[in-house]
Amino acid sequence: MSKRLLPFLALSLLLPFNALAIWPFGDSDEESEAELAERVSDLMRDPRRVIAEAQMAADDGNTETAIAKFREAQGMLEAIERSNDTSDAAFATLRLAKFHCISMLDDLVLRRAKVTDTRQAVTDTADLEAILKKEREEQRKAEEAALASEKTSRPPTLREQLPKLEAAAAEAKARWVEAAKAVETAKQADEAAQKAFLEAARTHTRVDGLYMAARAKAGADDDEALTEAAEARNQARTDLAAAKARTAETAAAIEPAEKALADAQAALTEALSECDAVRNAIAREEAEAKAREEAEKTAAEAERKRLEAEALIRKQKAAEAAAAARAKAEQVSAEKAKAREQRLVWCEEMWNSKDIDALEQELAAILGEKPDEARALVLLAQLRLLQGRAADALDLVALIPADGETGLRSRMVAAGAYVSLKQPFDAMRILEQAMKDAPSAPAPYLNMATVLMTLPAGSSKPEIAEQYYRRAVSLGAKRSLTLERRLGIAEPKH
């Protein structure tokens, strides 16, 4: 249940504690007034329900639903005004409820404006989104076409040229890296070929020596050994010739690779030089543009200061006039607040002395000036409950915030109203919440004891009611001899 709705639930504290046993209060003295009050209550039933739904939606953060519900309730109240003569005091609840709707609508609309960026609720946005997507695509194509037309009709700027030059420099650097790798590969191949040639030469020398030794020892029976040595020498000569040819090839490959590297180096240097030249030119252009901008800013600042100097006296005079008006308004407001406070103290005295007619007139005057005055609302709710108009009392406490002493009193009024409407369990729920929110206040415990004693036969809990009563007395509540007799106790145990 919403905290703004919790005040619908309790009454005992608004009366002297020894008067609690008079629940529910009697009927109106005048039959016609009672009939009118009942009729007003019937008319207010649906608007009251919608206001409760709107308040719960607002407390849950569902701003759009709350706004819709409050507007619906306002429309229902205005319809009642159009179809009925609402000048009678019995319709004060309607006027207060209407003011509550208007006040909450202003607050919710302001809250929505602060949270959202002028977003609007749309039931089905699929078609709208499709149209918006199409319009955006057409706009993008039009912008691209306009940009392309602009580019073809004028020479490219230096900043537009720079990405192409940088890309060309990157390509030149990549070619230079590849050329450097090719030179390194050619040199490594030549070095390997030279090593292979030296190894083949050593092998050829060794095999040739073995052939000469075999030839010197050769006889009639050694022709086969000489033949093998000759074959080995021939193979070594062949390998040496091949290695020598390979060295010539690898040595010849180095020169074109080095030339290609030199060309790539020259191309890279030129590309980097062009990039640097364009960057320098861009820097100069930007420096010149910045200088112009600074000059324009300086001139604009001088103009601004001149205008400020001319407007300074006017602003000071306006501020002085506003301060004087504000001080006067604050003085008037303070005086009204002080007078209203005195009137509220007087109203409390009239309530204690039961000067009902004068109290009702004074409360109507106070609420006419300040419809959300919580102390006046709770006093009027007490009065309505005393007059037997429990539903009207619930309507009034619904307008009172649940925090503070006034909020606690409004809960006690609501509890009494629920008991009068024969809804004791609703009263008990509100009293339990009041105990949680104000555990040291005696009124909720005393009222809970009273409610428990009003339950139907078989449902009452005298032993539990006694515990609540003793707790209330221990917290400072005035003893109720009537309640003690009903509980069957002589002296409360503290």
Side-chain angles (χ1 to χ4, degrees), residues 397-413:
V397 297
L399 307 176
I400 304 171
D403 54 343
E405 180 182 354
T406 305
L408 183 62
R409 290 177 62 184
S410 71
R411 296 186 187 194
M412 301 304 102
V413 174

Side-chain angles (χ1 to χ4, degrees), residues 43-44 47-48 51 70-83 86 93-101:
L43 291 172
M44 288 294 296
R48 188 186 307 130
I51 289 174
F70 275 120
R71 284 176 176 166
E72 180 183 353
Q74 181 183 353
M76 297 168 71
L77 295 171
E78 290 173 349
I80 294 173
E81 288 180 328
R82 288 193 297 270
S83 58
T86 59
T93 302
L94 182 146
R95 290 189 288 273
L96 288 170
K98 181 180 176 182
F99 170 80
H100 181 60
C101 290

Side-chain angles (χ1 to χ4, degrees), residues 142-215:
E143 290 176 353
E144 290 178 353
L147 182 61
S149 175
E150 181 182 356
K151 287 184 177 180
T152 56
S153 62
R154 62 171 176 78
T157 64
L158 292 175
R159 187 163 290 281
E160 291 171 348
Q161 295 176 33
L162 183 58
K164 293 182 179 180
L165 294 176
E166 289 176 339
E171 292 177 0
K173 184 177 181 180
R175 288 194 295 270
W176 174 81
V177 171
E178 291 298 325
K181 290 180 180 180
V183 169
E184 183 63 24
T185 301
K187 288 182 177 180
Q188 290 176 357
D190 183 60
E191 183 179 353
Q194 292 292 341
K195 288 180 180 180
F197 174 73
L198 291 175
E199 184 63 28
R202 293 190 191 98
T203 301
H204 176 266
T205 300
R206 181 177 58 80
V207 172
D208 191 58
L210 292 174
Y211 170 74
M212 295 301 294
R215 184 176 179 181

Side-chain angles (χ1 to χ4, degrees), residues 184-308:
E184 183 63 24
T185 301
K187 288 182 177 180
Q188 290 176 357
D190 183 60
E191 183 179 353
Q194 292 292 341
K195 288 180 180 180
F197 174 73
L198 291 175
E199 184 63 28
R202 293 190 191 98
T203 301
H204 176 266
T205 300
R206 181 177 58 80
V207 172
D208 191 58
L210 292 174
Y211 170 74
M212 295 301 294
R215 184 176 179 181
K217 294 179 180 180
D221 299 328
D222 293 331
D223 291 340
E224 183 176 352
L226 181 60
T227 301
E228 290 179 358
E231 290 177 355
R233 185 182 67 169
N234 292 336
Q235 182 62 45
R237 284 179 178 177
T238 301
D239 292 343
L240 180 61
K244 185 176 183 180
R246 175 60 180 161
T247 58
E249 292 176 0
T250 55
I254 291 176
E255 182 178 357
E258 290 179 338
K259 184 178 183 304
L261 177 60
D263 293 342
Q265 178 67 50
L268 176 58
T269 300
E270 182 180 358
L272 293 175
S273 178
E274 290 181 358
C275 288
D276 289 340
V278 171
R279 290 193 188 98
N280 292 335
I282 291 173
R284 287 193 299 272
E285 286 184 350
E286 290 180 347
E288 293 172 356
K290 185 176 181 180
R292 288 194 300 270
E293 182 179 355
E294 290 297 330
E296 292 173 356
K297 284 183 178 180
T298 301
E301 181 66 13
E303 178 66 12
R304 183 185 66 80
K305 289 181 178 180
R306 184 184 69 80
L307 294 175
E308 286 183 351

Side-chain angles (χ1 to χ4, degrees), residues 24-102:
F25 299 105
D27 295 331
S28 174
D29 294 336
E30 297 294 336
E31 184 177 352
S32 60
E33 291 182 0
E35 292 177 354
L36 179 59
E38 183 177 358
R39 179 164 171 267
V40 172
S41 179
D42 291 340
L43 291 172
M44 288 294 296
R45 184 177 295 109
D46 289 340
R48 188 186 307 130
R49 173 183 54 78
V50 177
I51 289 174
E53 293 173 354
Q55 191 63 60
M56 286 190 287
D59 292 339
D60 292 339
N62 195 342
T63 305
E64 295 299 334
T65 301
I67 290 175
K69 288 291 185 181
F70 275 120
R71 284 176 176 166
E72 180 183 353
Q74 181 183 353
M76 297 168 71
L77 295 171
E78 290 173 349
I80 294 173
E81 288 180 328
R82 288 193 297 270
S83 58
N84 295 273
D85 179 9
T86 59
S87 59
D88 192 275
F91 285 92
T93 302
L94 182 146
R95 290 189 288 273
L96 288 170
K98 181 180 176 182
F99 170 80
H100 181 60
C101 290
I102 296 172

